[in-house]
Amino acid sequence: MRGAVLILGATSAIARGTAVALARRGHPLYLGGRDEAELARIAADLIIRYQIKVHWGTVDAGNYAAHGLFLEQAVETMGGLEGVVLAFGYLGDTVAARTEFEEVKKIMAINLIGAVSLLNECANYLENKRSGFIIGLSSVAGDRGRQSNYYYGAAKGGLSIFLQGLRNRLFVSRVQVLTVKLGFVDTGMTFGLPRLFWVALPYTVGERIIIALEQRQDRVYVPWFWRYIMFIICAIPEFLFKRLKL
Amino acid sequence: MTRSLSKTISGWGCYPTAKSILIRPELMRDVNIPKQGSLICRGQGRSYGDAAISSQGQVMLSERLNRFLAFDDSTGILTAEAGATLAEILETFVPRGWFPAVTPGTQYVSIGGAIAADVHGKNHHHAGTLGVHVTELELMLADGHRQRCSPEKNESLFWATLGGMGLTGIITEASFRLIPIETAAIMAEHNPASDLEVTFKWLEDTDYDDQYTVAWIDCASARRHFGRSIVMKGHHARRDELPDDWKDPFFVPPLCSKSIPFNFPSFVLNRFTMAVFNERYYRHQGRKKGSFITDYASFFYPLDALAHWNRLYGRRGFLQYQVAIPDPYAHEGIRRLLEHLINSRQGAFLAVLKRFGSANAGLLSFPVAGYTLALDLPMTGKKVLNLLQQLDELVIKYGGRVYLAKDACLSPESLRAMYPRLEEWQRIKQVVDPERRFQSDLSRRLQLAGTL
Ligand SMILES: Cc1cc2nc3c(=O)[nH]c(=O)nc-3n(C[C@H](O)[C@H](O)[C@H](O)COP(=O)(O)OP(=O)(O)OC[C@H]3O[C@@H](n4cnc5c(N)ncnc54)[C@H](O)[C@@H]3O)c2cc1C
């Protein structure tokens, strides 16, 4: 029997894609998110389709004080965890953020502080167990700041660096940390956005992520070609880059 | 946060098209009725005409609302969000020995779309429509609140929704029965019938009937072979009917991998290529003598083997014309329709004839006891539209009706002559949706809710 996996932000489309990839492989799942009704629906669906054990509990990325207890609950319910998928994120409104600091705080609180707070708890737990994995869903937006989404990018960039440090720290404990850098995925976040190209489906993305995990990779771009796009974007010298409308 | 996307879409027949504003909720909580303007739900867009498009309002895609919510393996009742597709149901439940009680000719339909059209299958004469296997629906009404209905509870809303083409509300959830199967295979038999008389005779003869029965008519063949057909029948194979070397009794055939990548030039399908195709198909299918075992996908969903096969008809698209003619005029009516079609010298690529069992209480539900004939006709503009108008007149004369899930060109007057319970339906529509929040291009074209 496969080990149980905790999915944080389980109501997002990419989380669902990842949950399916794990469920297909027989992992029991614990779903964490804010919306009880939706969590219950997604859990029921996974139970019926894949005949695995699924439980769920509510967690809010911004309620840091509750994170420790939440993890304890998940561990207890599942009788231990093998891994964690951190899938929540908040794109936010870049234009509003320029003038409304509340929006900036929200972007940072969810994408960075909330993520770090939850992953702290998970890292300590897995480090103790000396096995398991952490998958952090970051974004190509975190690879280089661009005027169109630099608040979100800054938070995700911070998350990427955090995951890198975690990977370094947990290496000796044989805990694998996988950083996923997502490009455009066909979710509510991107639906209807102009000028998107080659948008990946959440199920394809979920499958790619779990394959990267099985291949013991440290970092993966999904869809893969974003690796080359970001390589080029990151290679543009700043004196040129700052003139671009990106 | 729901974003919208403005895009030109069409039904499966690629005609007509409409620039529509699409929205796509990812979660049930994001489903709501816009404060202003109209809305229509769209499942998999497998209705042929303009039922799931709207040039003057929002179109809500249900594709992400596809969770299975409960399954009772003592009764076979599945509860699912309405965006779940038949393909997903088959993939999950066939290996466990369950099959949809009714299935249309493609597995790429959503449950919501199938209920809204009250679809029928090759077993209508025994099992009725999908709708009669629905035990309960949850509907989001125009005022945004959710209402459950069933044949026992809020029945009038239930029977207005079966076949109601999405105009009574958004079906959010549905509970419906699956039937137990011993194997995933079909025991089939093809019998070539030499003309229309024989075809009718066999469709009424229990020796040529089975759980599923349908006749494929060679409508390119005039005069001597007029109405010749292959009468195809089959049933879910029993365990003891499988050959010894049949490996997995619950094998789920993989979904299609071949696809038509672009619209074909319109000359590809014309009267002559159709005649050749029909001749070949007749010979090929007729050659399968005696009964044979086949997988369920080849039996029920032969067209699904080629994704985007609708592009074969080219940019202008095509029309499906499906009618039901009630007994006792069905023989005469179908004969006259086929004669008219052949005399018009506008070949139909596909013609399917099947016997219908009795109608249900769905106010706009299509099937009535008698026969149904379905035709695929290339969209050639005025010419074919005129032909269909003439066919409509014949249908009305024989007391029949056109299937709304496939319609693209009926007139409001013809509709009124075909659906005697329309006014009853309109009264319920008026109660649950007084401001006509739910509208599609189909509903406006046919003035389904009444004149404005
Ligand atoms: C190859 C092929 C074979 C077919 N064979 C058959 C057959 O054998 N028998 C048969 O009866 N039909 C058949 N059909 C027609 C098909 O079954 C129907 O058109 C069905 O409604 C399509 O489902 P959909 O999810 O694609 O719905 P759509 O085409 O997206 O929508 C159809 C209607 O349902 C409404 N609707 C969709 N979802 C909801 C919802 N959640 N709540 C409320 N309303 C909703 C829409 O507003 C629209 O009016 C066939 C179609 C094809 C392409």
Side-chain angles (χ1 to χ4, degrees):
Chain A
M1 172 127 141
R2 303 287 199 118
V5 179
L6 166 66
I7 302 187
L8 298 163
T11 55
S12 85
I14 301 171
R16 203 176 159 209
T18 313
V20 164
L22 289 164
R24 278 188 193 284
R25 290 161 171 80
H27 289 277
L29 300 172
Y30 192 90
L31 311 178
R34 273 176 312 163
D35 191 321
E36 292 194 42
E38 295 294 347
L39 287 170
R41 295 180 104 86
I42 294 170
D45 183 65
L46 291 165
I47 293 169
I48 296 171
R49 282 184 207 240
Y50 305 104
Q51 299 179 294
I52 52 162
K53 176 171 137 182
V54 184
H55 287 282
W56 53 270
T58 49
V59 58
D60 187 332
N63 187 4
Y64 317 124
H67 290 171
L69 197 63
F70 170 78
L71 183 71
E72 254 173 56
Q73 209 175 51
V75 169
E76 196 182 297
T77 313
M78 303 309 284
L81 291 174
E82 183 188 337
V84 179
V85 181
L86 178 111
F88 57 76
Y90 173 67
L91 185 59
D93 183 335
T94 309
V95 179
R98 293 187 198 176
T99 48
E100 295 162 30
F101 199 67
E102 280 309 309
E103 183 66 5
V104 179
K105 282 207 289 200
K106 194 171 164 191
I107 294 172
M108 296 298 163
I110 295 176
N111 293 306
L112 185 57
I113 310 177
V116 168
S117 162
L118 275 158
L119 286 184
N120 258 348
E121 302 287 345
C122 298
N124 295 340
Y125 167 77
L126 293 171
E127 187 175 45
N128 252 326
K129 267 188 54 173
R130 301 189 64 79
S131 72
F133 63 83
I134 291 174
I135 302 176
L137 267 49
S138 189
S139 167
V140 296
D143 281 8
R144 189 159 196 182
R146 292 173 294 127
Q147 61 176 313
S148 56
N149 65 358
Y150 59 99
Y151 296 99
Y152 176 74
K156 285 294 192 184
L159 177 64
S160 295
I161 299 285
F162 175 77
L163 288 164
Q164 210 170 40
L166 214 49
R167 180 156 46 242
N168 190 193
R169 163 185 156 200
L170 295 177
F171 177 73
V172 289
S173 324
R174 293 196 299 273
V175 176
Q176 185 191 356
V177 178
L178 171 64
T179 307
V180 181
K181 302 217 173 159
L182 294 169
F184 296 139
V185 185
D186 188 8
T187 65
M189 221 190 235
T190 57
F191 184 79
L193 280 185
R195 283 176 291 128
L196 295 187
F197 61 95
W198 212 347
V199 185
L201 291 174
Y203 292 101
T204 321
V205 169
E207 191 59 31
R208 280 305 315 159
I209 292 171
I210 300 306
I211 289 174
L213 180 79
E214 288 168 342
Q215 293 173 341
R216 300 205 66 82
Q217 298 191 28
D218 294 326
R219 197 194 60 175
V220 64
Y221 282 88
V222 186
W224 59 271
F225 52 82
W226 277 93
R227 180 173 167 182
Y228 301 96
I229 296 175
M230 293 321 294
F231 177 78
I232 293 165
I233 290 195
C234 291
I236 302 172
E238 196 69 35
F239 76 90
L240 268 176
F241 195 82
K242 69 185 179 196
R243 290 158 214 260
L244 300 176
K245 289 236 169 343
L246 284 167
Chain B
M1 168 192 64
T2 21
R3 267 208 212 84
S4 64
L5 170 66
S6 174
K7 196 175 168 189
T8 300
I9 56 170
S10 72
W12 188 245
C14 304
Y15 170 87
T17 58
K19 189 155 183 142
S20 303
I21 297 163
L22 307 181
I23 51 172
R24 189 188 66 189
E26 299 272 331
L27 299 169
M28 224 11 123
R29 67 153 188 250
D30 300 333
V31 177
N32 43 47
I33 312 296
K35 296 265 172 310
Q36 263 143 30
S38 73
L39 178 72
I40 192 71
C41 194
R42 178 177 171 98
Q44 292 288 311
R46 249 58 177 192
S47 51
Y48 282 80
D50 49 3
I53 63 177
S54 180
S55 44
Q56 298 171 36
Q58 292 190 351
V59 176
M60 190 195 96
L61 309 179
S62 71
E63 60 194 59
R64 293 282 162 98
L65 307 170
N66 66 339
R67 284 109 193 147
F68 293 162
L69 300 174
F71 181 64
D72 179 344
D73 60 11
S74 64
T75 57
I77 291 176
L78 172 66
T79 302
E81 292 179 354
T85 65
L86 224 50
E88 293 174 84
I89 292 171
L90 292 162
E91 182 195 10
T92 306
F93 291 101
V94 164
R96 298 177 209 174
W98 296 97
F99 204 81
V102 168
T103 174
T106 171
Q107 51 179 318
Y108 301 113
V109 295
S110 68
I111 286 303
I115 293 170
D118 197 19
V119 301
H120 57 271
K122 298 177 180 184
N123 57 349
H124 186 270
H125 53 314
H126 300 306
T129 61
L130 180 78
V132 302
H133 300 274
V134 172
T135 54
E136 194 176 48
L137 293 177
E138 187 193 74
L139 216 56
M140 181 176 278
L141 299 179
D143 60 9
H145 94 275
R146 289 167 196 237
Q147 170 94 63
R148 291 192 170 261
C149 62
S150 73
E152 292 83 37
K153 197 168 62 189
N154 297 314
E155 323 73 283
S156 59
L157 181 57
F158 181 82
W159 295 112
T161 300
L162 287 198
M165 304 309 288
L167 299 166
T168 53
I170 297 168
I171 302 167
T172 46
E173 288 175 29
S175 302
F176 48 93
R177 212 169 294 129
L178 306 181
I179 55 167
I181 48 172
E182 272 186 43
T183 77
I186 299 288
M187 184 59 126
E189 193 178 307
H190 290 177
N191 292 296
S194 54
D195 61 30
L196 192 61
E197 274 321 295
V198 180
T199 302
F200 278 128
K201 210 172 94 206
W202 286 0
L203 285 173
E204 282 157 33
D205 183 338
T206 46
D207 283 351
Y208 293 88
D209 185 38
D210 204 340
Q211 189 173 11
Y212 303 99
T213 307
V214 65
W216 172 83
I217 295 200
D218 172 4
C219 56
S221 168
R223 282 185 284 284
R224 205 154 58 83
H225 301 299
F226 175 73
R228 74 173 176 181
S229 74
I230 313 279
V231 178
M232 304 168 168
K233 65 171 185 174
H235 60 264
H236 295 288
R238 290 186 308 274
R239 199 55 85 98
D240 59 22
E241 286 176 310
L242 287 188
D244 295 335
D245 59 351
W246 195 271
K247 283 195 193 69
D248 177 5
F250 288 112
F251 174 69
V252 175
L255 297 181
C256 68
S257 50
K258 293 200 193 100
S259 171
I260 303 285
F262 49 79
N263 285 319
F264 267 42
S266 53
F267 61 80
V268 175
L269 284 185
N270 57 41
R271 210 146 55 84
F272 304 101
T273 53
M274 280 181 216
V276 172
F277 170 85
N278 276 272
E279 177 72 26
R280 289 211 161 180
Y281 191 81
Y282 183 82
R283 297 215 175 285
H284 180 72
Q285 297 299 330
R287 226 182 283 130
K288 296 182 181 163
K289 287 272 150 50
S291 50
F292 58 96
I293 288 273
T294 176
D295 66 77
Y296 69 84
S298 328
F299 183 77
F300 289 110
Y301 318 116
L303 292 167
D304 285 351
L306 200 54
H308 302 298
W309 61 264
N310 50 351
R311 291 177 179 159
L312 286 172
Y313 284 89
R315 196 187 272 294
R316 297 183 76 177
F318 66 112
L319 302 163
Q320 254 266 334
Y321 187 69
Q322 184 171 0
V323 301
I325 311 277
D327 292 326
Y329 309 110
H331 287 201
E332 193 189 333
I334 299 285
R335 172 174 288 278
R336 289 293 307 280
L337 283 169
L338 280 173
E339 277 169 2
H340 200 94
L341 174 76
I342 287 167
N343 291 339
S344 77
R345 301 174 69 79
Q346 298 188 44
F349 192 54
L350 251 182
V352 174
L353 181 67
K354 103 159 253 30
R355 209 164 154 58
F356 266 163
S358 44
N360 61 35
L363 298 173
L364 294 183
S365 181
F366 165 67
V368 281
Y371 278 89
T372 180
L373 176 71
L375 307 166
D376 272 4
L377 298 155
M379 177 64 201
T380 49
K382 270 244 155 55
K383 211 167 120 204
V384 68
L385 294 177
N386 280 338
L387 170 68
L388 292 190
Q389 212 170 5
Q390 291 157 12
L391 296 184
D392 287 345
E393 280 163 29
L394 277 174
V395 172
I396 292 168
K397 184 171 152 207
Y398 291 101
R401 52 181 57 176
V402 161
Y403 190 12
L404 296 184
K406 305 196 171 176
D407 174 51
C409 42
L410 206 59
S411 69
E413 297 72 33
S414 301
L415 173 88
R416 274 150 185 77
M418 292 175 177
Y419 283 88
R421 302 186 74 181
L422 179 65
E423 279 182 25
E424 262 175 87
W425 182 85
Q426 286 174 340
R427 280 197 289 275
I428 296 166
K429 165 88 174 164
Q430 177 64 29
V431 172
V432 293
D433 184 16
E435 291 172 41
R436 298 190 190 168
R437 271 295 145 79
F438 298 108
Q439 290 184 18
S440 58
D441 279 1
L442 174 104
S443 78
R444 285 185 291 262
R445 171 169 58 81
L446 295 174
Q447 298 167 7
L448 269 171
T451 43
L452 287 166

